[in-house]
Amino acid sequence: MATSLSSVIQISFLDTKTTRTRFSIATPTLKSHRKFFTTCSKSTPDLPVSETTPPNNNIKNSSLSDQLAPLANSTLSTLPEDQPKLLPKPNPTWVNPTKVKRPMLSHQRQKRSSVFYNPQMREFQHFTQKLNNCDVSSEAEFMACLEEIPSSLTRENALLVLNSLKPWQKTHKFLNWIKNQNLLPMETIFYNVTMKSLRFGRQFGLIEELAHQMIDDGVELDNITYSTIINCAKKCNLFDKAEYWFERMYKTGLMPDEVTFSAILDVYAGLGKVEEVINLFERGRANGWKPDAITFSVLGKMFGEAGDYDGIRYVLQEMKSLGVQRNLVLYNTLFEAMGKVGKPGFARSLFEEMIDSGITPIARTLTAIIKIYGKARWSKDALDLWKRMKENGWPMDFILYNTLMNMCADVGLVREAETLFRDMKHSGQCKPDSWSYTAMLKIYGSEGDVDKSMKLFEEMTKFGIELNVMGCTCLIQCLGKAMEIDALVRVFDIYVEKGVKPDDKLCGCLLSVVSLSQGSKDQEKVLACLQRANPKLAAFIQLIADEQTSFETVKEEFKGIMSNAVVEVRKAFCNCLIDICRNKDLLERAHDLLYLGTLYGFYPTLYHKSQHEWCLDVRTLSVGAALTALEEWMTTLTKLVKREEALPDLFLAQTGTGAHKFAQGLNISFASHLRKLDAPFRQSEDKVGSFIATKNDIVSWVQSNSPSVSIAT
DNA sequence: ATAGGGTTAG
């Protein structure tokens, strides 16, 4: 769904009597294609809200989502689909003071109580140090140290100690000690400081326990308590807990301030509840809240994850109109979000805006940009940026080095990658890790450079660099293409011994080597590797090679194997299996497999028709699969001609030019197969990688030549 | 420094 900027941010007035401001964010990821999430601004005299939500004094007893649900439902249902987007502006009346506004969040950030440290501070610092030097696991040692407390404990000293104890176990013990000794009245701040320490240790269970203690003992939970609880839950992936405490806060009548509120938006964003986030955000906005850069960063990340480009633009637009300054983290977040939705041009211009505004990028910023350029194959921009990084002395870290090398792998820059790899080794700060080696293996693998690949592999073994499945796949691919099967088997064995679990991509790679090594004695060796990586797949090869196996059996097993494999490799598996069949001269089986692959949707763009032209697009097929598809097509056309059905004027078969890595040699093999079938297609002169035939060509070919095209059926 | 919120790689 293409969405224009004007539909991203709409302020429209639904009618002239009751002025409403409507902010709408189109979110293409949501089920309904044109669903607008609406909220109403300050002056909302007769919103449906009043009919469907409880009166103001009941708010304390309803959760926020309860309060918001009727609003969302009623406003959505009152908007007709064909509502004009922009109506002429009447004179808006912005404020209607007679109407009760239901606040969403407190505009004032919670004030901190001041803590004055006293002259005993040094003694207590010393005391804390001793506690910190205790063995964490020894309860007795810690308790003994506690006995040496310098003097009676004051509120300030207790806070000093709680703030400085590490790790969380000690903070927790100290809090319990204060409590049990009955030395001081227990204040919220003691719990808050302790919870902060527990949050570092991701101890949500203990945090929740403390919160319940507070409730039982009548200690007030404030915004700082709630935001700490919620953020800890979030860090521990306990989103339901985060939601629970947030709702509890509302139920007890405490308004979140902007910090707690943005934490909650982050929770809903993390849950993928985009609607809820937008609703909450807009409700807050309608109540006059001015979000800060951190909140916008939360929204930006969410839109990135949702693949919502318009949402990202909305963030920038909204910040601009509210006059909220962008900062480095916000930029980083937006660049990372843009990496998820593509958009290299937008990222580039925003990056320049950032530089112009005087913000210096950090390694993380540059990583995000380089990743975007690499993905988009923008090698020139990527290299320009690398040059600028060096000239300006912008900071590098190992992730940035690895990202740069990966970008080189994506766009085929061998020498640049080698330079980066060398730089990294000599930088003194970043040592190449398994990611760096994998990027280099990817490059040498796609170059087919066996010597350099093997040298890297030996280096990895020597330096004890972790071997991972992706590096293994690159090496196997490289060795397979070079038919270095003994080395391949050795490499495979070493990886498996080191605990690398073959994944579907590695199996696909082995499968393609099986098809390449047809007729050689080495095929058995590769099959043995495949047998260890994926026994079912290896067994399936035996099954289809046996001409006695029925179609029904093949279909069942095929279905089982494909549904166990990840989506990305299914077509590749099918292509390789067809190749294997054709290499064994099992044409009928090859056609069965192509049929099954089409049936399960692996080849959705293989055939397409328009009124004047029918196309066979084999660009992402292997050679064997492409030839099978061609035969299938010719058989179908023969039938149609014989039945004298309507045909288009033109027939087009596309193989591509071989730029695609699977399509190497496809064009040549396809042409030779056309000659073998004596099919009337010729290379198109103006469309490279295409073969064309007219209706007349096809009809006369069928008439003169039809028996020869019928395949064994 | 000293009770709370946002951003990393196949």
Side-chain angles (χ1 to χ4, degrees):
Chain A
M1 186 185 74
T3 317
S4 67
L5 187 61
S6 65
S7 72
V8 175
I9 305 147
Q10 281 175 37
I11 301 176
S12 66
F13 299 90
L14 300 184
D15 61 58
T16 46
K17 280 182 202 159
T18 60
T19 306
R20 297 171 185 179
T21 304
R22 187 156 71 96
F23 292 91
S24 305
I25 305 179
T27 48
T29 49
L30 298 168
K31 278 178 194 158
S32 146
H33 278 277
R34 269 224 166 271
K35 204 168 173 183
F36 288 112
F37 302 95
T38 59
T39 31
C40 303
S41 79
K42 297 167 191 172
S43 55
T44 53
D46 45 10
L47 269 178
V49 176
S50 53
E51 301 152 22
T52 48
T53 49
N56 202 26
N57 57 5
N58 281 353
I59 287 172
K60 278 193 177 188
N61 299 322
S62 71
S63 75
L64 183 74
S65 49
D66 291 344
Q67 293 172 49
L68 290 177
L71 177 81
N73 295 340
S74 58
T75 48
L76 280 177
S77 61
T78 53
L79 290 173
E81 280 295 307
D82 55 353
Q83 186 74 44
K85 285 180 197 157
L86 281 167
L87 295 173
K89 282 187 188 181
N91 295 324
T93 31
W94 288 106
V95 179
N96 185 343
T98 62
K99 289 289 166 184
V100 185
K101 278 184 285 180
R102 287 190 299 124
M104 279 287 299
L105 76 162
S106 156
H107 295 182
Q108 289 273 332
R109 188 185 289 222
Q110 184 185 315
K111 289 207 173 60
R112 292 164 185 242
S113 60
S114 40
V115 178
F116 301 103
Y117 293 108
N118 55 28
Q120 300 160 305
M121 201 172 122
R122 292 196 80 92
E123 286 174 282
F124 272 91
Q125 276 173 337
H126 189 67
F127 171 65
T128 309
Q129 228 149 48
K130 270 208 255 174
L131 287 172
N132 271 339
N133 291 336
C134 280
D135 180 3
V136 204
S137 54
S138 166
E139 179 84 16
E141 190 187 342
F142 190 77
M143 294 317 279
C145 273
L146 279 177
E147 298 298 319
E148 296 173 36
I149 189 158
S151 55
S152 66
L153 195 62
T154 64
R155 172 181 184 273
E156 279 69 29
N157 289 331
L159 285 172
L160 174 75
V161 177
L162 282 172
N163 262 315
S164 337
L165 280 178
K166 270 187 292 202
W168 54 268
Q169 288 90 337
K170 291 179 183 171
T171 325
H172 191 223
K173 270 183 202 157
F174 191 68
L175 178 84
N176 282 333
W177 184 76
I178 302 173
K179 203 177 154 198
N180 294 335
Q181 301 272 311
N182 257 329
L183 295 172
L184 293 164
M186 294 302 283
E187 292 179 38
T188 304
I189 189 170
F190 295 162
Y191 287 94
N192 289 350
V193 175
T194 308
M195 282 183 180
K196 180 189 174 183
S197 173
L198 290 169
R199 207 200 60 187
F200 263 112
R202 298 179 174 238
Q203 296 299 310
F204 185 76
L206 291 176
I207 286 191
E208 206 169 34
E209 205 175 88
L210 283 185
H212 285 299
Q213 273 178 30
M214 292 173 79
I215 295 164
D216 293 345
D217 298 347
V219 181
E220 180 204 358
L221 280 74
D222 63 13
N223 257 285
I224 295 175
T225 322
Y226 279 111
S227 66
T228 311
I229 296 171
I230 289 164
N231 281 310
C232 182
K234 205 169 68 185
K235 282 214 166 73
C236 298
N237 278 321
L238 299 167
F239 289 98
D240 53 332
K241 288 287 189 184
E243 204 170 356
Y244 167 82
W245 284 99
F246 174 52
E247 299 207 337
R248 187 186 187 281
M249 176 177 60
Y250 262 93
K251 279 179 190 159
T252 57
L254 180 65
M255 277 294 154
D257 66 8
E258 59 178 346
V259 176
T260 317
F261 198 71
S262 72
I264 278 305
L265 293 184
D266 202 20
V267 168
Y268 283 127
L271 285 168
K273 293 187 175 179
V274 181
E275 296 184 33
E276 299 249 11
V277 175
I278 294 170
N279 266 321
L280 285 170
F281 180 82
E282 294 287 329
R283 279 292 301 269
R285 288 280 300 113
N287 275 287
W289 162 58
K290 183 179 166 187
D292 64 6
I294 294 180
T295 309
F296 280 113
S297 174
V298 168
L299 286 188
K301 188 189 177 191
M302 175 186 78
F303 286 129
E305 238 120 64
D308 189 339
Y309 172 52
D310 292 316
I312 295 168
R313 291 200 301 180
Y314 170 83
V315 167
L316 286 165
Q317 187 73 24
E318 193 73 349
M319 286 182 82
K320 197 175 266 177
S321 69
L322 289 174
V324 180
Q325 199 73 36
R326 299 173 197 171
N327 62 28
L328 180 64
V329 176
L330 178 101
Y331 275 114
N332 291 347
T333 311
L334 290 187
F335 291 137
E336 278 156 20
M338 271 177 234
K340 284 167 185 133
V341 303
K343 307 294 175 192
F346 188 40
R348 183 174 61 186
S349 60
L350 196 63
F351 180 72
E352 295 308 332
E353 271 182 49
M354 186 190 89
I355 300 291
D356 290 345
S357 76
I359 296 177
T360 306
I362 56 171
R364 192 169 182 157
T365 323
L366 300 162
T367 300
I369 304 285
I370 289 291
K371 214 178 124 194
I372 293 169
Y373 289 164
K375 229 181 186 173
R377 304 284 190 265
W378 281 26
S379 44
K380 188 186 174 296
D381 290 275
L383 288 175
D384 284 350
L385 183 55
W386 182 29
K387 203 172 140 216
R388 251 166 103 188
M389 284 158 55
K390 287 191 283 193
E391 283 167 2
N392 294 319
W394 284 339
M396 299 281 288
D397 65 6
F398 73 104
I399 295 182
L400 180 51
Y401 269 116
N402 290 346
T403 307
L404 278 163
M405 281 191 268
N406 257 322
M407 177 273 295
C408 291
D410 285 340
V411 302
L413 297 166
V414 186
R415 290 189 52 185
E416 286 79 358
E418 285 172 335
T419 306
L420 282 159
F421 194 51
R422 252 199 320 274
D423 281 3
M424 196 178 184
K425 282 178 173 170
H426 297 149
S427 70
Q429 292 173 325
C430 323
K431 268 188 12 200
D433 65 355
S434 71
W435 290 75
S436 331
Y437 278 92
T438 305
M440 294 308 294
L441 283 174
K442 215 187 278 178
I443 290 182
Y444 291 141
S446 59
E447 289 286 295
D449 195 326
V450 175
D451 292 344
K452 285 186 175 168
S453 292
M454 286 308 283
K455 213 181 131 218
L456 281 177
F457 174 66
E458 276 147 28
E459 213 174 283
M460 288 176 83
T461 322
K462 194 172 90 187
F463 293 147
I465 308 283
E466 177 218 342
L467 300 178
N468 61 34
V469 67
M470 198 177 296
C472 179
T473 307
C474 295
L475 263 173
I476 299 275
Q477 196 169 29
C478 185
L479 294 167
K481 251 194 253 172
M483 280 294 146
E484 302 257 6
I485 303 301
D486 289 332
L488 183 151
V489 173
R490 204 178 75 220
V491 164
F492 179 80
D493 285 345
I494 292 173
Y495 273 90
V496 173
E497 263 170 44
K498 294 271 179 187
V500 170
K501 294 256 175 297
D503 64 1
D504 291 336
K505 279 190 182 167
L506 177 53
C507 291
C509 192
L510 285 169
L511 193 61
S512 79
V513 183
V514 170
S515 78
L516 289 172
S517 58
Q518 192 76 44
S520 103
K521 278 183 291 180
D522 286 334
Q523 193 182 35
E524 287 303 317
K525 299 177 188 168
V526 189
L527 274 169
C529 295
L530 187 63
Q531 173 69 35
R532 292 169 68 190
N534 188 337
K536 278 192 167 178
L537 190 54
F540 187 66
I541 296 174
Q542 305 296 329
L543 190 85
I544 54 175
D546 181 354
E547 290 186 79
Q548 302 300 310
T549 311
S550 73
F551 174 73
E552 283 309 314
T553 308
V554 171
K555 184 180 175 181
E556 274 312 298
E557 291 300 310
F558 182 89
K559 201 172 152 186
I561 284 167
M562 293 303 180
S563 46
N564 277 330
V566 296
V567 178
E568 307 96 89
V569 302
R570 291 177 184 172
K571 184 169 72 180
F573 275 21
C574 195
N575 281 340
C576 287
L577 290 165
I578 292 171
D579 285 351
I580 290 169
C581 288
R582 289 192 74 99
N583 288 339
K584 291 182 193 288
D585 247 349
L586 298 165
L587 289 193
E588 193 182 339
R589 192 74 84 201
H591 281 269
D592 289 347
L593 293 176
L594 180 69
Y595 167 77
L596 289 173
T598 313
L599 184 70
Y600 292 119
F602 307 160
Y603 303 107
T605 59
L606 181 53
Y607 307 104
H608 51 98
K609 293 178 175 180
S610 67
Q611 201 189 341
H612 302 293
E613 192 180 88
W614 288 3
C615 287
L616 174 73
D617 180 354
V618 298
R619 281 176 297 181
T620 61
L621 272 62
S622 61
V623 171
L627 304 190
T628 310
L630 172 64
E631 290 167 359
E632 201 63 52
W633 206 38
M634 298 313 289
T635 308
T636 307
L637 295 181
T638 302
K639 278 183 196 155
L640 293 176
V641 169
K642 286 183 174 169
R643 280 193 238 141
E644 297 183 16
E645 291 193 23
L647 294 174
D649 297 330
L650 204 64
F651 295 83
L652 183 74
Q654 291 174 277
T655 63
T657 52
H660 195 282
K661 67 177 166 185
F662 298 125
Q664 280 160 5
L666 183 58
N667 190 277
I668 296 160
S669 303
F670 198 84
S672 119
H673 203 61
L674 282 169
R675 281 194 298 279
K676 194 175 152 198
L677 297 173
D678 195 27
F681 284 87
R682 58 186 184 280
Q683 288 265 10
S684 160
E685 277 160 26
D686 41 67
K687 238 180 153 181
V688 200
S690 290
F691 299 85
I692 48 175
T694 63
K695 181 158 79 177
N696 285 342
D697 292 339
I698 297 290
V699 171
S700 55
W701 173 75
V702 170
Q703 282 165 352
S704 66
N705 216 10
S706 62
S708 69
V709 281
S710 67
I711 48 159
T713 44

